[in-house]
Amino acid sequence: MLISVVVPIYNEAPIISELHRRLTSALRSLPDAYELVFVNDGSADASPDMLRALVVSDSHARLINLSRNFGHQIAITAGMDHARGDAVVVIDADLQDPPEMIPELVAKWREGYDVVYAVREKRVGESVFKRATAAAFYRLITRITNVDIPVDTGDFRLMSRRAVEALKKVRERHRFIRGLVAWLGFKQTGVRFVRQERYAGSTKYPLKKMLKFAFDGITSFSFMPLQMATYLGFFVSVVSFLGILYVVYLRIFTQETIIGWASLMAAILFLGGVQLITLGIIGEYIGRIYDEAKARPLYFTQEVLGFEREVTSG
């Protein structure tokens, strides 16, 4: 059997040597042949040169240099497109997901599972805010989608060849891979682990990217934002209608009148805000339709190294 390990890389020069050492150690404990598929996602540091050196020194190493930074999920996609393994493991480069777990994922795959995902039992070294927002996001997306996406999981997982081939047919641009894998179906199971602190460097997912990633996940699998806009529109309409009835009642049956511009401006600003929010939500979905309609390739490669060599074990 051949085990492929796909590793997206973006400005991870301080980690690459230790990452390679631990991946090699974990995979040598298996009786299978293996390959390490590094995907350089437009790094601006020494990562590309270090990865080229690995391809020269290690016959198991492969390198895909993307033409620019296309993003984490696209880098994973590029790696899976090129990986040749009977099983393909996806793992991030920061060593928060321990490579030593790979044999455990492989053991579950041998039991007949097509997807073995790693469940984060504990997150070491992360802020309370990060843990709380991550937990809330996973539970929210589970509730508002019709896809059973496992909670507290990332992209660290193993997929069988038939699951990989199925995923390769899904070419949507705003990718949420952990959701797409759940959507595929097949026989899936989880393995629990403790997520470690980042080995070196800084996170490549600041708050802005996290919010975008979360919104991509929600809009990829749920119409709930559009439904909420509809519900909000109905609510505002009912409140406005009741307000009109109240004004008419005061005008006809009493001597009171509502005076002043403050209440009028408050009503106008409230209605305008609701309309802009609704248009913004609709615009997000239309923008995604526009991206899909252009049908551009997901990525371009600048160079591909090491894939011409035979795969070996040990």
Side-chain angles (χ1 to χ4, degrees):
M1 293 292 186
L2 172 63
I3 309 297
S4 297
V5 180
V6 172
V7 191
I9 302 285
Y10 180 63
N11 293 340
E12 299 289 10
I15 300 178
I16 288 175
S17 296
E18 178 67 9
L19 170 68
H20 177 253
R21 184 191 69 79
R22 288 177 60 179
L23 283 172
T24 300
S25 176
L27 289 162
R28 280 179 175 171
S29 69
L30 297 169
D32 308 281
Y34 70 90
E35 64 177 2
L36 303 174
V37 182
F38 296 101
V39 185
N40 174 44
D41 187 26
S43 296
D45 64 357
S47 295
D49 293 333
M50 294 180 70
L51 294 172
R52 290 189 190 99
L54 278 183
V55 173
V56 173
S57 62
D58 183 359
S59 62
H60 300 279
R62 318 280 182 256
L63 173 60
I64 304 165
N65 258 328
L66 300 184
S67 60
R68 63 170 177 85
N69 177 250
F70 285 92
H72 180 261
Q73 301 290 285
I74 298 297
I76 291 175
T77 301
M80 298 185 78
D81 287 347
H82 287 78
R84 299 170 290 180
D86 300 287
V88 178
V89 177
V90 177
I91 187 169
D92 285 340
D94 54 19
L95 292 176
Q96 288 186 280
D97 301 328
E100 292 76 16
M101 272 200 65
I102 292 176
E104 191 174 351
L105 302 181
V106 172
K108 285 292 184 182
W109 166 61
R110 294 190 195 282
E111 293 176 13
Y113 292 97
D114 288 289
V115 178
V116 186
Y117 48 84
V119 182
R120 298 162 180 171
E121 191 172 52
K122 187 178 178 182
R123 304 166 73 109
V124 177
E126 294 185 350
S127 66
V128 174
F129 174 78
K130 178 69 178 291
R131 294 198 301 270
T133 53
F137 167 69
Y138 286 120
R139 282 149 184 81
L140 171 65
I141 199 169
T142 297
R143 286 182 175 275
I144 67 176
T145 64
N146 56 2
V147 178
D148 186 16
I149 302 173
V151 298
D152 301 324
T153 61
D155 293 312
F156 183 27
R157 65 190 63 226
L158 177 148
M159 298 177 64
S160 68
R161 171 47 53 185
R162 68 172 177 175
V164 170
E165 291 299 324
L167 184 61
K168 285 165 66 174
K169 295 178 181 178
V170 182
R171 307 305 285 182
E172 62 189 61
R173 277 144 185 79
H174 297 272
R175 301 179 75 78
F176 185 64
I177 289 177
R178 63 199 70 173
L180 292 175
V181 174
W183 175 82
L184 291 177
F186 297 112
K187 191 176 181 182
Q188 306 195 12
T189 190
V191 174
R192 305 187 73 83
F193 78 107
V194 176
R195 196 169 197 236
Q196 303 300 316
E197 292 185 70
R198 173 176 256 277
Y199 179 78
S202 58
T203 179
K204 304 305 184 292
Y205 261 86
L207 181 60
K208 181 180 178 181
K209 283 191 175 181
M210 285 173 55
L211 291 173
K212 181 182 182 302
F213 183 63
F215 199 72
D216 283 344
I218 291 171
T219 54
S220 292
F221 291 94
S222 175
F223 297 116
M224 181 60 71
L226 290 174
Q227 293 169 335
M228 288 178 62
T230 302
Y231 298 149
L232 184 59
F234 275 117
F235 172 75
V236 171
S237 297
V238 170
V239 171
S240 300
F241 181 71
L242 293 176
I244 292 170
L245 291 181
Y246 179 65
V247 171
V248 171
Y249 169 78
L250 291 179
R251 181 69 180 83
I252 297 176
F253 298 103
T254 71
Q255 301 298 316
E256 298 179 23
T257 57
I258 299 177
I259 58 175
W261 61 272
S263 58
L264 176 63
M265 289 301 297
I268 291 174
L269 292 173
F270 176 68
L271 291 173
V274 169
Q275 290 171 341
L276 290 174
I277 291 171
T278 304
L279 287 174
I281 293 172
I282 295 171
E284 286 288 343
Y285 280 92
I286 292 174
R288 282 157 171 72
I289 295 170
Y290 176 59
D291 278 344
E292 296 296 333
K294 287 185 290 189
R296 293 173 180 169
L298 294 181
Y299 60 87
F300 288 102
T301 58
Q302 182 171 305
E303 63 178 340
V304 178
L305 302 174
F307 286 91
E308 72 282 355
R309 296 184 297 206
E310 293 294 325
V311 293
T312 58
S313 59

